[in-house]
Amino acid sequence: MSQSLNVEPIGFVRTGHEMKFQAGHQPDPKAIERNVIELLPGKQFELAVEDLEGFDRIWLVWWFDKNTTWRPRAMPPRGPAKRRGVFATRSPHRPNPIGLTCVDLVKVEGLNLVVGPLDLLDGTPVLDIKPYLTTVDCFPDSSLGWVAEVENLLSQPPPYDVQLSEKAKAQLEWLKSEWKVDFWERAQSILGYDPTHHRTRRILQIPDGRMRLGFGPWRIYYNIDEQRVTVDEIRQGYTLDKLERFDEIPHRDALRAFVDRWESE
Ligand SMILES: C[S@@+](CC[C@H](N)C(=O)[O-])C[C@H]1O[C@@H](n2cnc3c(N)ncnc32)[C@H](O)[C@@H]1O
């Protein structure tokens, strides 16, 4: 038996998620989102999707193409800062970087499948599609393992009170209205449940004594006082030199405008 197997994408997904922080850890069932799986032409996939439209949900098998490394243990972003065996997690860093997502199927339009909320980045290769069957895929009473503790924690009110400075509030409003960049709801939840150091959550203490939380290129600076978190300001994470030199930086226009508006005082 050969030690390697070949797979080829059947298509690629078009989502609005350019950067990892924009894609949820799992699809957000509350999101009003339409995404498209574009199947490749010339492979008879028109025939392969026949009869799919009758299913409400489908499984997508896909490839974490933006990852190159893996570790046998991973620190999940939710819950206590504890490493878990990678096979007991949904970590994107796996020996075979295969993702599995159950998604709403909205409609089939030729080689395009219109689907609901997804946790895939734009351009992710899709390897396979299967119908989701409640009769064989659904076991709602199954044990959740270590995730039960996390779900229980997140079902309680957050132990930290999160406040915004006037500056941070104005910056977040500006990012949302001018550039449709919005990470505040997620940030508020992360900071409310546990604002302390956590590598996967991208939280660290910086030399000036403040804490910093990262979302893609955006940085939230804050202080913790007992059970209160006060967000001081938002900054962007690139040096001016890099912003000028690298055309391919995602959200580059927003980042440059942010520097002009908020960081050139
Ligand atoms: C936690 S994983 C879970 C994925 C899937 N539901 C599963 O269980 O296999 C989802 C995250 O993978 C990351 N991601 C999405 N598409 C990716 C890609 N093409 N390459 C690398 N990482 C990706 C995003 O950061 C997203 O939040």
PDB file of all heavy atoms in Angstrom, residues 19-21 23-27 62-67 90-92 94 98-101 119-121 124-125 186, ligand 1:
ATOM      1  N   MET A  19      -9.601  36.634   5.688  1.00  0.00           N
ATOM      2  CA  MET A  19      -8.606  36.353   6.730  1.00  0.00           C
ATOM      3  C   MET A  19      -9.182  35.398   7.756  1.00  0.00           C
ATOM      4  O   MET A  19     -10.399  35.380   7.975  1.00  0.00           O
ATOM      5  CB  MET A  19      -8.221  37.654   7.422  1.00  0.00           C
ATOM      6  CG  MET A  19      -7.342  38.515   6.577  1.00  0.00           C
ATOM      7  SD  MET A  19      -6.771  39.891   7.569  1.00  0.00           S
ATOM      8  CE  MET A  19      -7.583  41.205   6.738  1.00  0.00           C
ATOM      9  N   LYS A  20      -8.267  34.663   8.427  1.00  0.00           N
ATOM     10  CA  LYS A  20      -8.736  33.607   9.331  1.00  0.00           C
ATOM     11  C   LYS A  20      -9.690  34.128  10.401  1.00  0.00           C
ATOM     12  O   LYS A  20     -10.648  33.476  10.753  1.00  0.00           O
ATOM     13  CB  LYS A  20      -7.542  32.906   9.972  1.00  0.00           C
ATOM     14  CG  LYS A  20      -6.833  32.004   8.991  1.00  0.00           C
ATOM     15  CD  LYS A  20      -5.813  31.140   9.663  1.00  0.00           C
ATOM     16  CE  LYS A  20      -5.082  30.325   8.595  1.00  0.00           C
ATOM     17  NZ  LYS A  20      -3.931  29.620   9.111  1.00  0.00           N
ATOM     18  N   PHE A  21      -9.424  35.334  10.909  1.00  0.00           N
ATOM     19  CA  PHE A  21     -10.278  35.821  11.997  1.00  0.00           C
ATOM     20  C   PHE A  21     -11.713  36.070  11.533  1.00  0.00           C
ATOM     21  O   PHE A  21     -12.634  36.115  12.337  1.00  0.00           O
ATOM     22  CB  PHE A  21      -9.685  37.078  12.654  1.00  0.00           C
ATOM     23  CG  PHE A  21     -10.005  38.381  11.964  1.00  0.00           C
ATOM     24  CD1 PHE A  21     -11.129  39.109  12.327  1.00  0.00           C
ATOM     25  CD2 PHE A  21      -9.194  38.881  10.969  1.00  0.00           C
ATOM     26  CE1 PHE A  21     -11.429  40.309  11.700  1.00  0.00           C
ATOM     27  CE2 PHE A  21      -9.476  40.071  10.346  1.00  0.00           C
ATOM     28  CZ  PHE A  21     -10.603  40.786  10.709  1.00  0.00           C
ATOM     29  N   ALA A  23     -13.478  34.081   9.558  1.00  0.00           N
ATOM     30  CA  ALA A  23     -14.241  32.829   9.497  1.00  0.00           C
ATOM     31  C   ALA A  23     -14.454  32.338  10.923  1.00  0.00           C
ATOM     32  O   ALA A  23     -13.517  32.279  11.702  1.00  0.00           O
ATOM     33  CB  ALA A  23     -13.453  31.790   8.690  1.00  0.00           C
ATOM     34  N   GLY A  24     -15.679  31.974  11.262  1.00  0.00           N
ATOM     35  CA  GLY A  24     -15.939  31.466  12.604  1.00  0.00           C
ATOM     36  C   GLY A  24     -15.195  30.155  12.836  1.00  0.00           C
ATOM     37  O   GLY A  24     -14.763  29.502  11.888  1.00  0.00           O
ATOM     38  N   HIS A  25     -15.093  29.764  14.117  1.00  0.00           N
ATOM     39  CA  HIS A  25     -14.450  28.476  14.411  1.00  0.00           C
ATOM     40  C   HIS A  25     -15.298  27.332  13.861  1.00  0.00           C
ATOM     41  O   HIS A  25     -14.789  26.270  13.494  1.00  0.00           O
ATOM     42  CB  HIS A  25     -14.240  28.302  15.916  1.00  0.00           C
ATOM     43  CG  HIS A  25     -13.312  29.336  16.481  1.00  0.00           C
ATOM     44  ND1 HIS A  25     -12.050  29.534  15.971  1.00  0.00           N
ATOM     45  CD2 HIS A  25     -13.471  30.230  17.464  1.00  0.00           C
ATOM     46  CE1 HIS A  25     -11.479  30.515  16.635  1.00  0.00           C
ATOM     47  NE2 HIS A  25     -12.320  30.962  17.551  1.00  0.00           N
ATOM     48  N   GLN A  26     -16.604  27.560  13.848  1.00  0.00           N
ATOM     49  CA  GLN A  26     -17.543  26.665  13.159  1.00  0.00           C
ATOM     50  C   GLN A  26     -18.518  27.612  12.462  1.00  0.00           C
ATOM     51  O   GLN A  26     -18.549  28.797  12.804  1.00  0.00           O
ATOM     52  CB  GLN A  26     -18.284  25.766  14.163  1.00  0.00           C
ATOM     53  CG  GLN A  26     -17.391  24.883  15.023  1.00  0.00           C
ATOM     54  CD  GLN A  26     -16.588  23.857  14.233  1.00  0.00           C
ATOM     55  OE1 GLN A  26     -17.007  23.407  13.167  1.00  0.00           O
ATOM     56  NE2 GLN A  26     -15.427  23.495  14.751  1.00  0.00           N
ATOM     57  N   PRO A  27     -19.327  27.146  11.510  1.00  0.00           N
ATOM     58  CA  PRO A  27     -20.268  28.075  10.876  1.00  0.00           C
ATOM     59  C   PRO A  27     -21.179  28.704  11.928  1.00  0.00           C
ATOM     60  O   PRO A  27     -21.610  28.020  12.859  1.00  0.00           O
ATOM     61  CB  PRO A  27     -21.082  27.167   9.946  1.00  0.00           C
ATOM     62  CG  PRO A  27     -20.237  25.966   9.736  1.00  0.00           C
ATOM     63  CD  PRO A  27     -19.420  25.783  10.978  1.00  0.00           C
ATOM     64  N   TRP A  62     -13.031  19.244   2.980  1.00  0.00           N
ATOM     65  CA  TRP A  62     -12.204  20.280   2.342  1.00  0.00           C
ATOM     66  C   TRP A  62     -10.788  20.267   2.877  1.00  0.00           C
ATOM     67  O   TRP A  62     -10.458  19.491   3.784  1.00  0.00           O
ATOM     68  CB  TRP A  62     -12.864  21.647   2.483  1.00  0.00           C
ATOM     69  CG  TRP A  62     -13.320  22.033   3.863  1.00  0.00           C
ATOM     70  CD1 TRP A  62     -14.480  21.634   4.468  1.00  0.00           C
ATOM     71  CD2 TRP A  62     -12.662  22.907   4.786  1.00  0.00           C
ATOM     72  NE1 TRP A  62     -14.579  22.207   5.712  1.00  0.00           N
ATOM     73  CE2 TRP A  62     -13.475  22.991   5.936  1.00  0.00           C
ATOM     74  CE3 TRP A  62     -11.478  23.632   4.764  1.00  0.00           C
ATOM     75  CZ2 TRP A  62     -13.134  23.757   7.046  1.00  0.00           C
ATOM     76  CZ3 TRP A  62     -11.143  24.398   5.856  1.00  0.00           C
ATOM     77  CH2 TRP A  62     -11.947  24.461   6.983  1.00  0.00           C
ATOM     78  N   TRP A  63      -9.952  21.132   2.326  1.00  0.00           N
ATOM     79  CA  TRP A  63      -8.511  21.100   2.611  1.00  0.00           C
ATOM     80  C   TRP A  63      -8.089  22.428   3.245  1.00  0.00           C
ATOM     81  O   TRP A  63      -8.355  23.482   2.665  1.00  0.00           O
ATOM     82  CB  TRP A  63      -7.779  20.895   1.277  1.00  0.00           C
ATOM     83  CG  TRP A  63      -6.352  20.456   1.396  1.00  0.00           C
ATOM     84  CD1 TRP A  63      -5.243  21.236   1.252  1.00  0.00           C
ATOM     85  CD2 TRP A  63      -5.882  19.130   1.647  1.00  0.00           C
ATOM     86  NE1 TRP A  63      -4.104  20.475   1.405  1.00  0.00           N
ATOM     87  CE2 TRP A  63      -4.477  19.171   1.654  1.00  0.00           C
ATOM     88  CE3 TRP A  63      -6.513  17.902   1.884  1.00  0.00           C
ATOM     89  CZ2 TRP A  63      -3.676  18.049   1.875  1.00  0.00           C
ATOM     90  CZ3 TRP A  63      -5.712  16.775   2.102  1.00  0.00           C
ATOM     91  CH2 TRP A  63      -4.315  16.872   2.097  1.00  0.00           C
ATOM     92  N   PHE A  64      -7.453  22.359   4.417  1.00  0.00           N
ATOM     93  CA  PHE A  64      -6.924  23.578   5.058  1.00  0.00           C
ATOM     94  C   PHE A  64      -5.667  23.997   4.292  1.00  0.00           C
ATOM     95  O   PHE A  64      -4.546  23.753   4.730  1.00  0.00           O
ATOM     96  CB  PHE A  64      -6.550  23.295   6.515  1.00  0.00           C
ATOM     97  CG  PHE A  64      -7.688  23.068   7.452  1.00  0.00           C
ATOM     98  CD1 PHE A  64      -8.058  21.785   7.834  1.00  0.00           C
ATOM     99  CD2 PHE A  64      -8.380  24.140   7.994  1.00  0.00           C
ATOM    100  CE1 PHE A  64      -9.094  21.578   8.733  1.00  0.00           C
ATOM    101  CE2 PHE A  64      -9.423  23.941   8.900  1.00  0.00           C
ATOM    102  CZ  PHE A  64      -9.784  22.660   9.260  1.00  0.00           C
ATOM    103  N   ASP A  65      -5.864  24.606   3.127  1.00  0.00           N
ATOM    104  CA  ASP A  65      -4.703  24.846   2.252  1.00  0.00           C
ATOM    105  C   ASP A  65      -3.775  25.951   2.759  1.00  0.00           C
ATOM    106  O   ASP A  65      -2.650  26.058   2.277  1.00  0.00           O
ATOM    107  CB  ASP A  65      -5.164  25.156   0.819  1.00  0.00           C
ATOM    108  CG  ASP A  65      -5.953  26.441   0.716  1.00  0.00           C
ATOM    109  OD1 ASP A  65      -6.724  26.746   1.647  1.00  0.00           O
ATOM    110  OD2 ASP A  65      -5.795  27.147  -0.282  1.00  0.00           O
ATOM    111  N   LYS A  66      -4.237  26.758   3.723  1.00  0.00           N
ATOM    112  CA  LYS A  66      -3.368  27.832   4.216  1.00  0.00           C
ATOM    113  C   LYS A  66      -2.474  27.352   5.365  1.00  0.00           C
ATOM    114  O   LYS A  66      -1.717  28.133   5.915  1.00  0.00           O
ATOM    115  CB  LYS A  66      -4.196  29.026   4.715  1.00  0.00           C
ATOM    116  CG  LYS A  66      -5.169  29.582   3.712  1.00  0.00           C
ATOM    117  CD  LYS A  66      -4.462  30.487   2.719  1.00  0.00           C
ATOM    118  CE  LYS A  66      -5.400  31.235   1.812  1.00  0.00           C
ATOM    119  NZ  LYS A  66      -6.327  30.361   1.048  1.00  0.00           N
ATOM    120  N   ASN A  67      -2.588  26.092   5.749  1.00  0.00           N
ATOM    121  CA  ASN A  67      -1.774  25.576   6.853  1.00  0.00           C
ATOM    122  C   ASN A  67      -0.685  24.671   6.327  1.00  0.00           C
ATOM    123  O   ASN A  67      -0.923  23.885   5.412  1.00  0.00           O
ATOM    124  CB  ASN A  67      -2.634  24.758   7.825  1.00  0.00           C
ATOM    125  CG  ASN A  67      -3.526  25.646   8.645  1.00  0.00           C
ATOM    126  OD1 ASN A  67      -3.400  26.863   8.604  1.00  0.00           O
ATOM    127  ND2 ASN A  67      -4.425  25.039   9.377  1.00  0.00           N
ATOM    128  N   ARG A  90     -11.096  20.210  16.725  1.00  0.00           N
ATOM    129  CA  ARG A  90     -11.371  20.583  15.333  1.00  0.00           C
ATOM    130  C   ARG A  90     -10.265  21.507  14.834  1.00  0.00           C
ATOM    131  O   ARG A  90     -10.495  22.325  13.949  1.00  0.00           O
ATOM    132  CB  ARG A  90     -12.718  21.294  15.253  1.00  0.00           C
ATOM    133  CG  ARG A  90     -13.913  20.450  15.680  1.00  0.00           C
ATOM    134  CD  ARG A  90     -14.151  19.349  14.661  1.00  0.00           C
ATOM    135  NE  ARG A  90     -15.396  18.646  14.919  1.00  0.00           N
ATOM    136  CZ  ARG A  90     -16.516  18.849  14.228  1.00  0.00           C
ATOM    137  NH1 ARG A  90     -16.557  19.726  13.262  1.00  0.00           N
ATOM    138  NH2 ARG A  90     -17.591  18.160  14.507  1.00  0.00           N
ATOM    139  N   SER A  91      -9.075  21.406  15.426  1.00  0.00           N
ATOM    140  CA  SER A  91      -7.968  22.289  15.042  1.00  0.00           C
ATOM    141  C   SER A  91      -7.674  22.187  13.540  1.00  0.00           C
ATOM    142  O   SER A  91      -7.684  21.088  12.975  1.00  0.00           O
ATOM    143  CB  SER A  91      -6.706  21.885  15.807  1.00  0.00           C
ATOM    144  OG  SER A  91      -5.599  22.531  15.230  1.00  0.00           O
ATOM    145  N   PRO A  92      -7.358  23.318  12.907  1.00  0.00           N
ATOM    146  CA  PRO A  92      -6.981  23.273  11.484  1.00  0.00           C
ATOM    147  C   PRO A  92      -5.588  22.674  11.263  1.00  0.00           C
ATOM    148  O   PRO A  92      -5.233  22.354  10.143  1.00  0.00           O
ATOM    149  CB  PRO A  92      -6.960  24.742  11.053  1.00  0.00           C
ATOM    150  CG  PRO A  92      -7.551  25.522  12.174  1.00  0.00           C
ATOM    151  CD  PRO A  92      -7.446  24.694  13.412  1.00  0.00           C
ATOM    152  N   ARG A  94      -3.562  19.726  11.394  1.00  0.00           N
ATOM    153  CA  ARG A  94      -3.718  18.278  11.508  1.00  0.00           C
ATOM    154  C   ARG A  94      -2.730  17.596  10.579  1.00  0.00           C
ATOM    155  O   ARG A  94      -2.280  18.201   9.601  1.00  0.00           O
ATOM    156  CB  ARG A  94      -5.141  17.857  11.114  1.00  0.00           C
ATOM    157  CG  ARG A  94      -6.211  18.901  11.309  1.00  0.00           C
ATOM    158  CD  ARG A  94      -7.592  18.405  10.992  1.00  0.00           C
ATOM    159  NE  ARG A  94      -7.995  17.295  11.815  1.00  0.00           N
ATOM    160  CZ  ARG A  94      -8.473  17.417  13.060  1.00  0.00           C
ATOM    161  NH1 ARG A  94      -8.625  18.595  13.611  1.00  0.00           N
ATOM    162  NH2 ARG A  94      -8.794  16.333  13.746  1.00  0.00           N
ATOM    163  N   ILE A  98      -7.454  18.049   6.632  1.00  0.00           N
ATOM    164  CA  ILE A  98      -8.799  17.861   6.074  1.00  0.00           C
ATOM    165  C   ILE A  98      -9.835  18.487   7.000  1.00  0.00           C
ATOM    166  O   ILE A  98      -9.836  18.216   8.200  1.00  0.00           O
ATOM    167  CB  ILE A  98      -9.080  16.361   5.857  1.00  0.00           C
ATOM    168  CG1 ILE A  98      -8.191  15.846   4.723  1.00  0.00           C
ATOM    169  CG2 ILE A  98     -10.552  16.110   5.544  1.00  0.00           C
ATOM    170  CD1 ILE A  98      -8.255  14.365   4.491  1.00  0.00           C
ATOM    171  N   GLY A  99     -10.680  19.341   6.445  1.00  0.00           N
ATOM    172  CA  GLY A  99     -11.754  19.975   7.193  1.00  0.00           C
ATOM    173  C   GLY A  99     -13.079  19.307   6.864  1.00  0.00           C
ATOM    174  O   GLY A  99     -13.250  18.716   5.778  1.00  0.00           O
ATOM    175  N   LEU A 100     -14.005  19.402   7.818  1.00  0.00           N
ATOM    176  CA  LEU A 100     -15.323  18.785   7.651  1.00  0.00           C
ATOM    177  C   LEU A 100     -16.354  19.771   8.173  1.00  0.00           C
ATOM    178  O   LEU A 100     -16.277  20.181   9.325  1.00  0.00           O
ATOM    179  CB  LEU A 100     -15.360  17.501   8.485  1.00  0.00           C
ATOM    180  CG  LEU A 100     -16.645  16.704   8.445  1.00  0.00           C
ATOM    181  CD1 LEU A 100     -16.866  16.104   7.074  1.00  0.00           C
ATOM    182  CD2 LEU A 100     -16.583  15.599   9.499  1.00  0.00           C
ATOM    183  N   THR A 101     -17.283  20.175   7.311  1.00  0.00           N
ATOM    184  CA  THR A 101     -18.281  21.167   7.729  1.00  0.00           C
ATOM    185  C   THR A 101     -19.646  20.776   7.196  1.00  0.00           C
ATOM    186  O   THR A 101     -19.775  20.427   6.017  1.00  0.00           O
ATOM    187  CB  THR A 101     -17.893  22.564   7.171  1.00  0.00           C
ATOM    188  OG1 THR A 101     -16.635  22.942   7.719  1.00  0.00           O
ATOM    189  CG2 THR A 101     -18.926  23.623   7.532  1.00  0.00           C
ATOM    190  N   ASP A 119     -17.335  28.130   7.702  1.00  0.00           N
ATOM    191  CA  ASP A 119     -16.108  28.481   8.422  1.00  0.00           C
ATOM    192  C   ASP A 119     -14.880  28.369   7.507  1.00  0.00           C
ATOM    193  O   ASP A 119     -13.764  28.204   7.966  1.00  0.00           O
ATOM    194  CB  ASP A 119     -15.946  27.598   9.672  1.00  0.00           C
ATOM    195  CG  ASP A 119     -16.066  26.107   9.363  1.00  0.00           C
ATOM    196  OD1 ASP A 119     -16.298  25.761   8.194  1.00  0.00           O
ATOM    197  OD2 ASP A 119     -15.924  25.301  10.297  1.00  0.00           O
ATOM    198  N   LEU A 120     -15.097  28.445   6.191  1.00  0.00           N
ATOM    199  CA  LEU A 120     -13.987  28.298   5.228  1.00  0.00           C
ATOM    200  C   LEU A 120     -13.552  29.670   4.703  1.00  0.00           C
ATOM    201  O   LEU A 120     -14.393  30.548   4.473  1.00  0.00           O
ATOM    202  CB  LEU A 120     -14.441  27.477   4.016  1.00  0.00           C
ATOM    203  CG  LEU A 120     -14.514  25.963   4.160  1.00  0.00           C
ATOM    204  CD1 LEU A 120     -15.660  25.555   5.066  1.00  0.00           C
ATOM    205  CD2 LEU A 120     -14.709  25.319   2.793  1.00  0.00           C
ATOM    206  N   LEU A 121     -12.251  29.790   4.461  1.00  0.00           N
ATOM    207  CA  LEU A 121     -11.732  31.007   3.845  1.00  0.00           C
ATOM    208  C   LEU A 121     -12.029  31.009   2.355  1.00  0.00           C
ATOM    209  O   LEU A 121     -12.173  29.941   1.738  1.00  0.00           O
ATOM    210  CB  LEU A 121     -10.215  31.076   4.033  1.00  0.00           C
ATOM    211  CG  LEU A 121      -9.735  31.249   5.466  1.00  0.00           C
ATOM    212  CD1 LEU A 121      -8.203  31.179   5.518  1.00  0.00           C
ATOM    213  CD2 LEU A 121     -10.205  32.584   6.009  1.00  0.00           C
ATOM    214  N   THR A 124     -10.896  28.269  -0.610  1.00  0.00           N
ATOM    215  CA  THR A 124     -10.527  26.949  -0.037  1.00  0.00           C
ATOM    216  C   THR A 124     -10.931  25.815  -0.994  1.00  0.00           C
ATOM    217  O   THR A 124     -12.063  25.785  -1.487  1.00  0.00           O
ATOM    218  CB  THR A 124     -11.236  26.763   1.325  1.00  0.00           C
ATOM    219  OG1 THR A 124     -10.763  27.758   2.222  1.00  0.00           O
ATOM    220  CG2 THR A 124     -10.994  25.386   1.913  1.00  0.00           C
ATOM    221  N   PRO A 125     -10.006  24.862  -1.225  1.00  0.00           N
ATOM    222  CA  PRO A 125     -10.357  23.721  -2.077  1.00  0.00           C
ATOM    223  C   PRO A 125     -11.351  22.780  -1.395  1.00  0.00           C
ATOM    224  O   PRO A 125     -11.202  22.462  -0.221  1.00  0.00           O
ATOM    225  CB  PRO A 125      -9.017  22.984  -2.270  1.00  0.00           C
ATOM    226  CG  PRO A 125      -7.962  23.889  -1.719  1.00  0.00           C
ATOM    227  CD  PRO A 125      -8.608  24.848  -0.774  1.00  0.00           C
ATOM    228  N   ARG A 186     -17.184  39.380  18.782  1.00  0.00           N
ATOM    229  CA  ARG A 186     -16.321  38.239  19.158  1.00  0.00           C
ATOM    230  C   ARG A 186     -15.329  38.642  20.220  1.00  0.00           C
ATOM    231  O   ARG A 186     -15.059  37.909  21.173  1.00  0.00           O
ATOM    232  CB  ARG A 186     -15.627  37.689  17.926  1.00  0.00           C
ATOM    233  CG  ARG A 186     -16.649  36.919  17.167  1.00  0.00           C
ATOM    234  CD  ARG A 186     -16.268  36.007  16.093  1.00  0.00           C
ATOM    235  NE  ARG A 186     -14.980  35.414  16.003  1.00  0.00           N
ATOM    236  CZ  ARG A 186     -14.399  35.181  14.834  1.00  0.00           C
ATOM    237  NH1 ARG A 186     -14.985  35.566  13.725  1.00  0.00           N
ATOM    238  NH2 ARG A 186     -13.247  34.571  14.769  1.00  0.00           N
TER     239      ARG A 186
HETATM  240  C1  LIG B   1     -11.589  25.459  13.771  1.00  0.00           C
HETATM  241  S1  LIG B   1     -11.574  25.061  12.075  1.00  0.00           S
HETATM  242  C2  LIG B   1     -12.921  23.938  12.056  1.00  0.00           C
HETATM  243  C3  LIG B   1     -13.180  23.460  10.673  1.00  0.00           C
HETATM  244  C4  LIG B   1     -14.207  22.366  10.444  1.00  0.00           C
HETATM  245  N1  LIG B   1     -15.545  22.704  10.832  1.00  0.00           N
HETATM  246  C5  LIG B   1     -13.743  21.061  10.998  1.00  0.00           C
HETATM  247  O1  LIG B   1     -14.181  20.662  12.039  1.00  0.00           O
HETATM  248  O2  LIG B   1     -12.904  20.443  10.342  1.00  0.00           O
HETATM  249  C6  LIG B   1     -12.224  26.501  11.262  1.00  0.00           C
HETATM  250  C7  LIG B   1     -11.160  27.556  11.082  1.00  0.00           C
HETATM  251  O3  LIG B   1     -10.274  27.128  10.070  1.00  0.00           O
HETATM  252  C8  LIG B   1      -9.650  28.251   9.483  1.00  0.00           C
HETATM  253  N2  LIG B   1      -9.663  28.056   8.034  1.00  0.00           N
HETATM  254  C9  LIG B   1     -10.718  28.146   7.182  1.00  0.00           C
HETATM  255  N3  LIG B   1     -10.346  27.888   5.921  1.00  0.00           N
HETATM  256  C10 LIG B   1      -9.013  27.623   5.972  1.00  0.00           C
HETATM  257  C11 LIG B   1      -8.047  27.262   4.982  1.00  0.00           C
HETATM  258  N4  LIG B   1      -8.366  27.159   3.695  1.00  0.00           N
HETATM  259  N5  LIG B   1      -6.767  27.046   5.391  1.00  0.00           N
HETATM  260  C12 LIG B   1      -6.428  27.169   6.683  1.00  0.00           C
HETATM  261  N6  LIG B   1      -7.290  27.514   7.674  1.00  0.00           N
HETATM  262  C13 LIG B   1      -8.574  27.724   7.321  1.00  0.00           C
HETATM  263  C14 LIG B   1     -10.456  29.494   9.895  1.00  0.00           C
HETATM  264  O4  LIG B   1      -9.656  30.225  10.816  1.00  0.00           O
HETATM  265  C15 LIG B   1     -11.679  28.897  10.624  1.00  0.00           C
HETATM  266  O5  LIG B   1     -12.063  29.714  11.720  1.00  0.00           O
END
